[in-house]
Amino acid sequence: ILGLAAGALYVLFGLGLVIIHRGSGVVNFAHGAVGMVGTFLAWKLHEGLGVSYWVALIAGVVLSGVLGLLIHFLIMRPLHGAALLTRLIATLAVVTVLQEGMAKIYDGPSIVVASGLPVEPVTILGATVGLDRVIILVAVLVLVAALAALYRYTQFGRATAASAATSTN
């Protein structure tokens, strides 16, 4: 019970990797670094500038999405016909640039950021956990179910799989 939220976040991260691979045929090593940049922005806006938690969170997600689009259109799309190894190396280059860029911006010690969700304790099967962990678990389960349905039962999902199949040949 205590590790379900952390496990759910690992599932969400893995799901992102799978979706990117289904759409592009490439394992995107920059996936975590893109999330890191959005997370840093959300933290900086909320903790450093006093912006509302939810506004900062949305800004971080939007930045990660925009960064993903930029990577796709400026780096990965021009490499569409390149060898798979070339495209993998490009994602490693993106990870390196993003990590080094963030290291230049923030050179302080590692910190633990408090949850912006309610943290009241709840008891589940005899274990006491924070409500934030339960919210994370439920949100990830709903998101996984929605994405599974989207990719299995829609034309978009079939087109995404077909796109990856043609890009790897």
Side-chain angles (χ1 to χ4, degrees):
I1 297 295
L2 296 175
L4 283 179
L9 291 174
Y10 284 123
V11 166
L12 196 58
F13 181 79
L15 184 63
L17 286 174
V18 169
I19 288 172
I20 291 169
H21 185 267
R22 276 191 80 164
S24 68
V26 176
V27 176
N28 183 1
F29 290 110
H31 179 66
V34 170
M36 170 197 62
V37 172
T39 302
F40 178 81
L41 175 68
W43 171 78
K44 190 68 172 173
L45 286 174
H46 181 64
E47 296 290 327
L49 301 175
V51 174
S52 158
Y53 174 80
W54 294 106
V55 171
L57 180 69
I58 291 168
V61 170
V62 168
L63 176 62
S64 291
V66 168
L67 191 54
L69 286 171
L70 288 173
I71 292 167
H72 173 74
F73 286 112
L74 298 177
I75 298 170
M76 300 310 292
R77 184 175 255 185
L79 292 175
H80 176 72
L84 178 61
L85 182 59
T86 302
R87 292 182 286 161
L88 286 172
I89 291 170
T91 68
L92 290 171
V94 169
V95 127
T96 302
V97 167
L98 291 177
Q99 284 181 337
E100 290 303 314
M102 293 310 297
K104 295 288 185 200
I105 293 170
Y106 181 77
D107 59 354
S110 295
I111 57 170
V112 176
V113 178
S115 177
L117 299 171
V119 294
E120 296 85 39
V122 293
T123 303
I124 301 174
L125 301 174
T128 302
V129 296
L131 181 58
D132 59 334
R133 310 303 173 154
V134 176
I135 292 170
I136 290 169
L137 175 63
V138 170
V140 168
L141 290 174
V142 168
L143 188 58
V144 166
L147 288 171
L150 175 74
Y151 278 89
R152 176 171 282 203
Y153 298 115
T154 67
Q155 183 65 28
F156 172 78
R158 290 186 288 276
T160 301
S163 169
T166 60
S167 72
T168 56
N169 293 332

